[in-house]
Amino acid sequence: MLRFERVGLRYADGPVLAGFDLAVAPGELVVLLGPSGCGKTTLLRLAARLAAPSTGRVVNRFARTAVVFQEPRLLPWWSALDNVAFALAARGVAPAERRGRAAALLGRLGFSTADLRKRPAALSGGMQGRTAIARALVVEPDLVLMDEPFAALDVGLRRDLQDLVRGAVDRDGAAVLFVTHDVTEAVRMADRLVVLSRRPARVVHDVRTRPEASPAAIHRAAAALLDTPAVRAALLARHGEPGQPERPQIRPGRQPAPAAPSWPAR
Amino acid sequence: MAAGAMARRAAPLAWGGLGLLALGLAWEAGHRAFGPFVLPAPAEAGVRLAALLADGDAWPALAVTAGNALGGWLAGALIGAGLGIAGGLVGPLGAALRPVVTVTLGVPPIAWVVLALLWFGPRGGAPAFTVLMTAVPVVFAAAFQGLAARDPRLGEMATVYGAPLLLRLRMLILPQLLDHLLPALATALALAFKVAVMAEVLGGGVGIGGRIATARAHLDLVETMAWILLVVAVLLVCDGLLLAPLRRLLSARRPSGPVSAAG
């Protein structure tokens, strides 16, 4: 169980969190949606013990927490295989076993034998992202903290990796706290959707849901979510104008907003 | 494809050879213009060098100079790296050492030679000491910078996965350090031979510098040029055997592209 209990955190430019409460149970994939800069990444850092709250407390009772950062954070001097095996080496897994497990997982993610030996600089952005995801999943974590992990990937690859993460939840019972700006990704993956307000972040919408599979259902669920007044106020308001709706941006800041959202097809 | 790659590698070598040939021609032209008392013929110096090598006269001098240069370089590298790493890890120590090293860096090698000759005498370890004092600040600065420039994001990643200290050292800290340290070691090594010969010239002795000083005293310009040719050859061999592999290692290890996939 991961619990944020009355968590407050203040940076130099003001409070990021104030009295924040949230719990993530084993086997559930919780998607955090919220406007840019509202504190989603901060929540992941608190859960990973990379930051400490100013007030309240963060309880993480999971034994194996893995993090997929916004950037891949790969070791540039070592191959893709070594980068994935690093997480296993940190847990004391024997060299032969860790290389075998890392190679098998990277193989599932589309890496050829030659790709395994490439250093991060020789990998495409998508392959770097996949390496970082493999590094997180190879340790068979019981909690995965993911910060916009698929933002740089194309639609097909994104769908495959979404399925891989869902598999870790459905098959292995892992818990996932997943930050994204992409509403369609959220409704496709989530067991629970949590929408945060602007700073200081508070939960404005927390609903149990079911991962949607078909493009039509994803479309409908995303539209319904954006139609919820509290969600609309949090996600679609312009800066400084709370509650003012504007044209929905499915992935703000990542790419030009498409004329029509391109739903992941199954 | 392979032939193309070979041609690409051979082209700089060919141009380098042409440059050296031009230098030799300029030497020959200087010899013809000013006469053998100012500049002996390159061929004559080459023949004398071959004779020195064939007689076995050059080898002991070479061994002494190499010992001075490599010994001073190694000791300087160890001390400089040790202090730089300690200074990089312990903030107050680093703050205290930095100005000291800046001052040391500002002292010209010739001043160290004079001090070393006074301290150790002309036959003592003056050349090796001078090399050491030249190498320490160069290597210190690189080690210090190497630790200061660590990427904190990679440190966080290692923390999240619970990497123990030894694993961090091997896969994170040492590689980051080496990226800064290797070029500094190469620079210090190139300096080491020049400084060692300079100290030997001033201090006498049986090294190459000492032999240059003797030849100069006898106004034997041919032998002077022969010893200079030997120093240059040693530097080139050192470059080929030690520095070129270091440069290759560095360029192969260098992360050359953007690492970030997501903003």
Side-chain angles (χ1 to χ4, degrees), chain B residues 175-202:
Chain B
Q176 291 189 77
L177 190 60
L178 282 179
D179 279 347
H180 287 79
L181 212 47
L182 285 181
L185 289 175
T187 307
L189 183 59
L191 279 174
F193 273 93
K194 294 178 194 171
V195 171
V197 169
M198 183 184 69
E200 287 171 358
V201 167
L202 289 173

Side-chain angles (χ1 to χ4, degrees), chain B residues 75-209:
Chain B
L78 287 175
I79 294 171
L83 287 177
I85 290 169
L89 291 176
V90 184
L93 182 65
L97 281 173
R98 276 181 76 177
V100 176
V101 169
T102 307
V103 169
T104 319
L105 201 58
V107 178
I110 192 78
W112 288 118
V113 176
V114 173
L115 287 174
L117 287 174
L118 290 172
W119 292 339
F120 302 109
R123 296 284 183 271
F129 174 79
T130 311
V131 172
L132 182 149
M133 291 310 293
T134 312
V136 165
V138 174
V139 178
F140 170 90
F144 188 84
Q145 285 300 326
L147 279 180
R150 273 177 299 171
D151 185 346
R153 297 175 311 163
L154 293 181
E156 280 189 351
M157 184 279 293
T159 301
V160 160
Y161 288 100
L165 182 64
L166 272 181
L167 183 68
R168 278 173 189 248
L169 264 178
R170 185 167 68 81
M171 292 197 70
L172 223 105
I173 298 173
L174 279 179
Q176 291 189 77
L177 190 60
L178 282 179
D179 279 347
H180 287 79
L181 212 47
L182 285 181
L185 289 175
T187 307
L189 183 59
L191 279 174
F193 273 93
K194 294 178 194 171
V195 171
V197 169
M198 183 184 69
E200 287 171 358
V201 167
L202 289 173
V206 293
I208 292 175

Side-chain angles (χ1 to χ4, degrees), chain A residues 79-234:
Chain A
S79 68
L81 182 70
D82 291 331
N83 266 281
V84 176
F86 175 83
L88 291 169
R91 295 187 185 276
V93 177
E97 185 189 342
R98 65 188 183 227
R99 291 180 78 80
R101 281 169 63 181
L105 184 51
L106 282 170
R108 278 177 63 196
L109 295 181
F111 279 63
S112 68
T113 309
D115 293 335
L116 297 180
R117 288 195 296 271
K118 287 181 183 165
R119 290 199 179 88
L123 297 173
S124 67
M127 289 174 96
Q128 290 178 20
R130 276 181 278 163
T131 307
I133 290 163
R135 181 178 60 198
L137 296 184
V138 79
V139 297
E140 295 169 356
D142 49 8
L143 172 65
V144 193
L145 306 167
M146 307 186 91
D147 196 356
E148 300 184 57
F150 309 142
L153 306 178
D154 62 63
V155 172
L157 195 56
R158 181 182 271 247
R159 188 193 57 195
D160 290 346
L161 292 176
Q162 286 166 352
D163 291 344
L164 189 78
V165 173
R166 269 286 0 148
V169 177
D170 297 336
R171 195 182 51 247
D172 307 329
V176 177
L177 187 56
F178 190 102
V179 167
T180 183
H181 281 287
D182 187 334
V183 180
T184 60
E185 182 168 74
V187 297
R188 187 174 193 273
M189 293 188 74
D191 295 312
R192 197 173 139 203
L193 281 165
V194 174
V195 182
L196 305 180
S197 67
R198 292 195 183 283
R199 280 191 190 189
R202 62 193 167 76
V203 175
V204 296
H205 185 77
D206 183 349
V207 63
R208 293 217 157 268
T209 176
R210 202 186 46 175
E212 297 290 355
S214 76
I218 290 170
H219 196 157
R220 278 195 303 275
L225 182 68
L226 289 171
D227 250 358
T228 312
V231 175
R232 176 187 292 271

